[in-house]
Amino acid sequence: MSINSISEPALEIIGRNPLKGEVKISGAKNSALAIMAGTLLCADDCRLNNVPCLADINTMGLVLASLGVKIHKNGSTWEFNSKDLKAVKAPYDLVSQLRASFFVIGPILTRLGFAQVPLPGGCAIGSRPVDLHVRGLQAMGATVIIEHGVVNASVNKRLKGAKIFLDYPSVGATETIMMAATLAQGQTIIENAAREPEIVDLANFCNSMGAKITGAGTDSIVIEGVNRLHTTDYDIIPDRIEAGTFLVAGAITKSEILVTSLNYDHLTPIIAKLAEIGCQVVREDEITLRTIPGELKASDIETLPHPGFPTDMQAQFMALLTISEGNSLVTETVFENRLRHVAELKRMGANIKVKGNSALVSGVPILSGAPVMATDLRASAALVLAGLAADGKTIVQGLQHLDRGYENLEQKFQKLGAKIKRIYHSNK
Ligand code: UD1
């Protein structure tokens, strides 16, 4: 592929430039998406601060607007008013673009007694069913009929609190059930709940509106239903995956950089794994980390629900392991099809063998720049990281994935001194 054959925007990266300076982390995409759905629970104004400027966030905004929500944006502060929430069907073309938009089902159902949301369908990293969301709502008394690709959920009067055991600690299902339970009658207990920081953020947000949720961050969440929620002004947590991506950038380019405006406690598995690989991460102050690069050596990784190693960092760490001395085994257990970046990393000279959901990465001394195609959001970040470390020029295509989840990625890297720019060539 020559550069002249590129018809969509791409990132051009000239690798092997040391980085220096400081990068500021934006608000957490996954928290913001769930909390935006959570604003539907309240008929009064909800103000969210630290909302990242991302394609996925804009799509969620369009979903909410289609449901009758009035939205006012001012930079990273968004105001929502869902007084006129309608139980109309969330539009398929939006829900199919953004799986997280399915999360509106819990709030609409609990507030209006009826919700129609299209099934989100599969995506690049696996089939991603919603059976756990649906079973949770059914346990609370909802009747759920899935026909013609649409989930129709209804309830006579009000959802009722229930004891729900999740077969798997699904982030989305925990969020759906937690939101639905805030306005249900009585107590709901979610056992084997997801423990991700984004769950805690959603619970804190709901509590700031008067919900009664305890135990978020543990595997047992208790929600005492209340009759109504009130207005709030809430700050979204920093994005731990964006922070992790920049920490890996420090490691892969052997650079000392400062990553700031983050939450240290959310990064424990990432910091521990970086230290094992050979890059120390030290705490500069409450919200800032410094990378202290060292010789990179192999390490095994297995993705797990929080507090295990996050699946959303698997691709970025694989990029790092491609140039770490020795053999590393990377095993993906959360999603069924999340190793598609391997083929692209191999185009850059990585030595990786895949068997099932595991990849054996044998470190090579250096990667070589190449044209590559991003296959999903985190894979695109992995290719950027590989490009920063590679010899020569890398062209990363498929930026629609990157733009879903990284705010101003290339500007942030430019500020750190990386040679990276967006190019718009066309052969038309
Ligand atoms: C969320 C994150 C995503 C992250 C993932 C795991 C958002 C918007 N996205 O996705 O970035 O990678 O958590 O940390 O927050 N599953 C079922 N049935 C269900 C629900 C899930 O089988 O009803 C399966 C999924 O197919 C997947 C696994 O459970 O294999 C984990 O999914 P889940 O934790 O629900 O992830 P999401 O909420 O979709």
Side-chain angles (χ1 to χ4, degrees):
M1 182 178 69
S2 84
I3 192 169
N4 292 327
S5 66
I6 296 169
S7 55
E8 291 189 346
L11 282 182
E12 179 187 288
I13 304 163
I14 309 293
R16 307 202 81 197
N17 270 295
L19 306 181
K20 65 171 189 304
E22 181 177 303
V23 61
K24 188 168 176 291
I25 298 307
S26 302
K29 169 180 83 78
N30 288 349
S31 263
L33 289 172
I35 289 174
M36 284 170 80
T39 64
L40 298 175
L41 291 166
C42 170
D44 299 330
D45 289 336
C46 288
R47 178 188 288 200
L48 300 182
N49 308 305
N50 205 24
V51 178
C53 178
L54 299 170
D56 273 7
I57 298 290
N58 288 332
T59 306
M60 191 60 148
L62 292 174
V63 172
L64 298 187
S66 76
L67 297 168
V69 179
K70 303 222 167 25
I71 301 176
H72 181 259
K73 294 187 228 174
N74 184 7
S76 63
T77 295
W78 289 46
E79 283 169 0
F80 302 83
N81 186 295
S82 60
K83 184 163 67 68
D84 299 324
L85 176 66
K86 298 175 282 190
V88 293
K89 193 163 80 184
Y92 172 73
D93 57 328
L94 294 175
V95 177
S96 61
Q97 279 176 45
L98 175 64
R99 182 185 155 80
S101 56
F102 185 77
F103 302 173
V104 299
I105 194 166
I108 304 178
L109 177 64
T110 200
R111 235 190 93 192
L112 302 179
F114 180 59
Q116 278 191 302
V117 185
L119 282 167
C123 74
I125 60 177
S127 64
R128 302 182 84 174
V130 289
D131 54 315
L132 298 172
H133 302 239
V134 168
R135 275 192 279 168
L137 297 175
Q138 285 170 328
M140 298 170 78
T143 302
V144 181
I145 296 168
I146 302 176
E147 54 182 11
H148 308 302
V150 176
V151 181
N152 299 276
S154 59
V155 64
N156 198 0
K157 294 191 183 144
R158 198 170 164 190
L159 289 172
K160 286 200 172 53
K163 190 160 182 176
I164 297 162
F165 179 85
L166 290 177
D167 289 346
Y168 183 89
S170 153
V171 173
T174 303
E175 291 170 342
T176 291
I177 298 166
M178 194 162 78
M179 287 189 276
T182 55
L183 295 175
Q185 187 181 12
Q187 184 184 69
T188 298
I189 302 177
I190 312 174
E191 299 283 11
N192 198 28
R195 291 183 278 167
E196 272 69 3
E198 293 76 21
I199 300 284
V200 179
D201 206 26
L202 177 63
N204 288 341
F205 164 72
C206 291
N207 286 342
S208 76
M209 298 191 293
K212 291 195 174 139
I213 304 174
T214 52
T218 74
D219 61 4
S220 178
I221 302 178
V222 180
I223 306 117
E224 301 287 346
V226 297
N227 290 334
R228 88 184 288 283
L229 298 175
H230 56 69
T231 181
T232 186
D233 188 338
Y234 188 80
D235 297 345
I236 308 274
I237 56 169
D239 196 306
R240 65 193 165 104
I241 305 302
E242 189 198 5
T245 301
F246 278 102
L247 293 175
V248 174
I252 204 167
T253 59
K254 299 232 162 73
S255 307
E256 198 172 308
I257 58 169
L258 292 168
V259 185
T260 192
S261 295
L262 48 69
N263 186 320
Y264 175 84
D265 294 333
H266 298 166
L267 291 160
T268 315
I270 294 170
I271 293 169
K273 191 52 77 179
L274 277 171
E276 215 176 286
I277 294 171
C279 177
Q280 300 301 321
V281 175
V282 296
R283 215 166 163 169
E284 194 77 0
D285 60 42
E286 270 305 292
I287 55 162
T288 311
L289 291 171
R290 181 187 290 276
T291 53
I292 312 282
E295 289 311 307
L296 301 172
K297 48 193 185 305
S299 172
D300 293 344
I301 288 180
E302 182 173 322
T303 64
L304 288 169
H306 193 77
F309 187 88
T311 174
D312 286 351
M313 285 302 301
Q314 179 257 108
Q316 302 90 314
F317 268 79
M318 191 183 294
L320 179 63
L321 293 172
T322 62
I323 54 163
S324 300
E325 199 189 337
N327 293 325
S328 305
L329 188 65
V330 177
T331 306
E332 172 61 50
T333 75
V334 178
F335 289 107
E336 62 197 23
N337 189 17
R338 210 174 195 180
L339 293 173
R340 290 171 69 205
H341 40 279
V342 166
E344 301 304 303
L345 290 170
K346 283 170 81 168
R347 293 170 58 80
M348 300 178 71
N351 182 353
I352 310 175
K353 290 191 183 70
V354 172
K355 194 157 186 214
N357 63 351
S358 292
L360 181 67
V361 185
S362 304
V364 294
I366 190 165
L367 294 173
S368 62
V372 285
M373 178 62 77
T375 49
D376 66 64
L377 167 57
R378 304 305 169 185
S380 60
L383 296 174
V384 170
L385 293 170
L388 291 171
D391 188 37
K393 188 195 291 181
T394 295
I395 306 278
V396 181
Q397 291 194 75
L399 297 190
Q400 72 278 15
H401 298 295
L402 192 79
D403 293 339
R404 282 185 42 213
Y406 286 93
E407 187 177 55
N408 299 329
L409 188 85
E410 68 258 31
Q411 287 89 337
K412 289 185 182 187
F413 272 125
Q414 279 162 2
K415 216 178 138 228
L416 290 172
K419 290 201 176 146
I420 179 170
K421 64 178 180 197
R422 200 168 279 235
I423 52 173
Y424 300 86
H425 285 272
S426 173
N427 62 346
K428 284 183 191 148

